[in-house]
Amino acid sequence: MKKRALITGITGQDGSYLAELLLAKGYNVYGLERRSSTKNRVNLRAIENRITLISGDLTDQNSITRVLADIKPHEVYNVAAQSFVKESWDQPEYTANVTGSGALRVLEAIRHVDRKIKFYQASSSEMFGKVQATPQNEQTPFYPRSPYGVAKLFAHWMTVNYRESYGIFAVSGILFNHESERRGIEFVTRKISDGLVRVKLGLAERLEIGTLDSQRDWGYAPDYVEAMWLMLQQDTPDDFVIATGVTHSVRTFIEKASHVLGTSIEWRGLGVDEVGVDAATGKIVVVINPDYYRPAEVDLLLGDAHKAKAKLGWEPKVQFDELVDRMVTEDLKRLS
């Protein structure tokens, strides 16, 4: 009999890659989809006829319980969230309700429907926030610096609590930043790849960016969803940091992306008249705009995934330069 898996957030970057992985492994895949007047299924185009989409909402306990009772999944992957960190300051209550309490509702549904269901929670390196040690591993104290990070921390500790209190096979993957061609346009890496291509092609006047010095441990999303699956195949539940162990700044990401386009960057402050590609130098103009700064910045995230490598046999396959190349090349193909 085929295993059944339910993915919340299936239409997003991680959910769509995870669905493809589980299909390749022979699963029957179900996806939770919020009711909406318009459906955004662009990431599911290649597999939409091979999965089952079910209406449900992480803010509604009854709908989650009903879905679990109807399909009786063997595994549940909770990768849905209000996941845009900057937006979490503008919508802190909504972020807490979806990103934090949403995970609790899924755990409650499992507790009532079938405690044998295995549960994966998408935790985040943003929980480390104002880092207390570098690199960060499973023992590093948390210090979130955004409503998003706080909400993720609530969901993380609820996952631990339900594992220890009710014997549910519940795990958290503390995933560091992972990007891809499917990353949402509101995230900084996709804003960079899409923005630079638009300027290069004359479709936009400039790329405006916030802080350049924040450093992140960036990996490739398809590699990271494999780690999610591996966590639920273990004999005992446990939490794992998933990361490349290498950090780069936002500035470096922009410079690498411009190199893929065969150009370089002219850095300017807000209020400059020159835009687009500088006629004299051929450089793309990037404007630093303080409006994009976070109220509380996370300066450095660097993960230590030794535990995942040792116990899961997991290794990142795509390195930073290739990740940037893939994103820029895809945006260039799409916009040309």
Side-chain angles (χ1 to χ4, degrees), residues 82-96 99 126 145-151 294-295:
Q82 190 303 98
S83 55
F84 186 31
V85 176
K86 187 175 185 300
E87 187 67 23
S88 72
W89 275 286
D90 296 328
Q91 299 189 63
E93 185 177 354
Y94 176 74
T95 301
T99 306
E126 288 286 332
R145 295 264 282 174
S146 68
Y148 170 78
V150 173
R294 295 180 182 181

Side-chain angles (χ1 to χ4, degrees), residues 184-200:
I185 198 68
E186 68 272 19
F187 291 85
V188 66
T189 52
R190 187 68 190 287
K191 180 179 180 180
I192 292 168
S193 65
D194 177 87
L196 290 181
V197 169
R198 288 180 183 275
V199 175
K200 176 74 172 179

Side-chain angles (χ1 to χ4, degrees), residues 248-314:
H248 298 88
S249 68
V250 173
R251 183 190 301 271
T252 298
F253 196 106
I254 295 173
E255 290 171 342
K256 291 284 185 182
S258 69
H259 179 73
V260 176
L261 290 172
T263 185
S264 55
I265 300 299
E266 182 78 23
W267 305 101
R268 302 284 176 84
L270 192 63
V272 298
D273 295 327
E274 299 91 344
V275 293
V277 178
D278 187 286
T281 65
K283 296 181 178 181
I284 293 176
V285 175
V286 174
V287 176
I288 313 305
N289 187 344
D291 288 344
Y292 293 117
Y293 292 174
R294 295 180 182 181
E297 187 55 71
V298 175
D299 297 320
L300 169 65
L301 293 173
L302 176 62
D304 175 3
H306 279 91
K307 180 179 174 182
K309 293 177 181 179
K311 293 191 173 184
L312 303 178
W314 177 84

Side-chain angles (χ1 to χ4, degrees), residues 50-245:
R50 300 173 59 200
I51 61 178
T52 303
L53 296 172
I54 301 176
S55 292
D57 196 312
L58 287 183
T59 64
D60 178 47
Q61 182 69 68
N62 287 336
S63 72
I64 302 300
T65 303
R66 171 185 53 78
V67 168
L68 262 64
D70 286 348
I71 69 176
K72 299 178 175 60
H74 299 92
E75 299 171 0
V76 173
Y77 295 85
N78 184 40
V79 297
Q82 190 303 98
S83 55
F84 186 31
V85 176
K86 187 175 185 300
E87 187 67 23
S88 72
W89 275 286
D90 296 328
Q91 299 189 63
E93 185 177 354
Y94 176 74
T95 301
N97 194 13
V98 176
T99 306
S101 296
L104 171 59
R105 294 185 185 101
V106 179
L107 287 163
E108 267 291 279
I110 290 173
R111 182 168 77 91
H112 288 289
V113 173
D114 183 359
R115 297 186 187 183
K116 292 180 180 156
I117 296 172
K118 292 185 175 182
F119 174 75
Y120 170 84
Q121 167 58 24
S123 289
S124 169
S125 59
E126 288 286 332
M127 300 187 309
F128 293 118
K130 188 176 180 180
V131 297
Q132 304 300 291
T134 299
Q136 296 89 51
N137 60 29
E138 294 81 5
Q139 281 72 51
T140 304
F142 299 117
Y143 195 141
R145 295 264 282 174
S146 68
Y148 170 78
V150 173
K152 278 292 188 182
L153 187 54
F154 174 86
H156 177 84
W157 281 119
M158 276 298 176
T159 302
V160 173
N161 189 265
Y162 272 63
R163 177 171 72 217
E164 296 178 349
S165 301
Y166 301 115
I168 295 171
F169 194 110
V171 306
S172 285
I174 308 173
L175 272 57
F176 280 63
N177 294 68
H178 48 288
E179 316 299 321
S180 76
E181 304 91 320
R182 299 180 188 174
R183 177 53 101 184
I185 198 68
E186 68 272 19
F187 291 85
V188 66
T189 52
R190 187 68 190 287
K191 180 179 180 180
I192 292 168
S193 65
D194 177 87
L196 290 181
V197 169
R198 288 180 183 275
V199 175
K200 176 74 172 179
L201 296 177
L203 301 175
E205 292 186 333
R206 68 176 79 192
L207 170 64
E208 292 191 5
I209 204 76
T211 181
L212 295 175
D213 297 324
S214 295
Q215 298 182 63
R216 294 292 184 269
D217 185 330
W218 276 303
Y220 190 50
D223 292 345
Y224 284 47
V225 300
E226 181 184 16
M228 300 176 189
W229 176 77
L230 285 169
M231 289 180 213
L232 291 193
Q233 312 315 307
Q234 305 306 301
D235 293 330
T236 55
D238 204 352
D239 304 325
F240 294 89
V241 162
I242 304 299
T244 69

